Amino acid sequence: MEDRVRVVIAEDSVLLREGLTRLLTDRGHEVVAGVGDGDALVKTIAELDGQGELPDVVVADVRMPPTHTDEGVRAAVLLRKSHPGLGVLVLSQYVEERYATELLAGSSHGVGYLLKDRVAEVREFVDAVVRVAQGGTALDPEVVAQLLGRSRKQDVLAGLTPREREVLGLMAEGRTNSAIARQLVVSDGAVEKHVSNIFLKLGLSQSDGDHRRVLAVLTYLNS
């Protein structure tokens, strides 16, 4: 059982909103509110904060009423600025790089971007919600793949080997070194060596401490 987290869901489809609520509550988590548009999301978070009941994470659709364009992600970006400690996980039907990079601008702490198809993989979805609630990162592999394809045109990552790019891409998905090792079928030590090389080539010194991982991912996403 994952650590229990408190969630607010913003999704205009009542059926999907109820489905997400069921997935999370069945795993022992608490859905404290469900709303159908971006304005209602911002208002609900403000009210909960005023009551000293700020949730751990918001799960929000990128596109919501009234125009069904970017209301959800705009609300998510606003909440990240007004409530830095609030985790934000957005769901999208398609990979939209502009929204992903806008959401990740400034910090990758407590942020996620998943395709809606990923919700069907219940364990992965719930793990992502918990990870974001706890300050981690959860990026859909398809989002990472598109950003990686774009980044290959940039010089900032030109010094990385194909394997180091692969490791950095998995880091951007929010995976730990052990999880990366399992995915690539290599030892933990091999992954640690790749990660050290990535830090070195991106100019991230030991003085950056634990933030080096976040800085490496941000360099990758912003390249």
Side-chain angles (χ1 to χ4, degrees), residues 3-83:
D3 292 338
R4 185 171 182 268
V5 298
R6 301 175 68 253
V7 188
V8 169
I9 298 175
E11 166 60 58
D12 62 294
S13 166
V14 175
L15 184 61
L16 181 54
R17 189 165 71 235
E18 292 300 320
L20 294 174
T21 299
R22 180 65 180 270
L23 288 179
L24 292 167
T25 55
D26 282 353
R27 291 275 181 168
H29 303 296
E30 180 185 2
V31 176
V32 297
V35 299
D37 62 73
D39 288 342
L41 172 60
V42 173
K43 180 179 179 181
T44 296
I45 294 300
E47 291 175 349
L48 289 171
D49 190 24
Q51 298 165 8
E53 297 290 338
L54 191 69
D56 301 301
V57 60
V58 166
V59 177
D61 190 359
V62 165
R63 300 178 180 227
M64 289 194 290
T67 67
H68 291 280
T69 54
D70 62 352
E71 283 85 357
V73 76
R74 283 195 288 107
V77 170
L78 178 62
L79 290 174
R80 279 179 62 73
K81 292 178 180 177
S82 60
H83 301 81

Side-chain angles (χ1 to χ4, degrees), residues 1 20 46 126 132 168 189 200:
M1 177 68 69
L20 294 174
V126 176
V132 170
L168 184 52
L200 180 64

